Amino acid sequence: MVLIDNEKLDSFYIPLYGPSEKELREIIEAEGSFSIDKMAVHESPDQNDIVAPKTGAHALRAVMEPIIAQHFGPSVDAMDEFSRVAEKLVEMSPLDAYPSKSSAFVAASLTRRT
């Protein structure tokens, strides 16, 4: 059973990059559509202690499902397969492979300029 078209799979690419607080501020200000109300950096806890593979897979699906559905079309079977594979990848991922790298996320509250 084919869940997705191979041609669409070959054309699916999402470059991921996590900007620093400074970079994000510069991007928002340069784009000009929003003003920054508040910005905060939160350090991520040790992922090995808090993320079970199923939880990690669900989080990935929550973020990625709209993007995947827009490109491939809505398919419960395809998203279930995505979750199954994502869970295996999270389980196999050596999250502590880069102990010198700290991780954090930046939260920003924005107001659309009129």
Side-chain angles (χ1 to χ4, degrees):
M1 176 169 85
V2 176
L3 295 176
I4 57 175
D5 179 59
N6 280 336
E7 189 174 304
K8 284 188 176 185
L9 180 61
D10 290 342
S11 68
F12 187 69
Y13 175 71
I14 300 176
L16 297 175
Y17 174 74
S20 68
E21 178 185 9
K22 180 181 177 208
E23 290 171 312
L24 183 59
R25 185 176 299 279
E26 289 171 356
I27 291 167
I28 293 168
E29 289 172 352
E31 197 280 332
S33 296
F34 297 92
S35 61
I36 301 169
D37 298 325
K38 185 176 179 181
M39 191 173 284
V41 178
H42 303 278
E43 286 191 36
S44 296
D46 182 357
Q47 298 298 311
N48 288 323
D49 292 341
I50 63 164
V51 178
K54 188 175 272 319
T55 303
H58 285 292
L60 236 105
R61 181 174 179 167
V63 170
M64 300 296 292
E65 187 165 7
I67 298 165
I68 291 169
Q70 181 179 14
H71 185 79
F72 296 104
S75 168
V76 173
D77 292 336
M79 288 313 305
D80 288 346
E81 181 66 8
F82 172 85
S83 293
R84 188 185 67 74
V85 171
E87 185 175 344
K88 284 186 177 185
L89 290 173
V90 170
E91 190 172 25
M92 294 172 16
S93 176
L95 294 173
D96 58 352
Y98 306 101
S100 64
K101 300 275 186 177
S102 63
S103 62
F105 67 92
V106 180
S109 172
L110 308 175
T111 300
R112 180 178 292 279
R113 292 183 174 155
T114 54

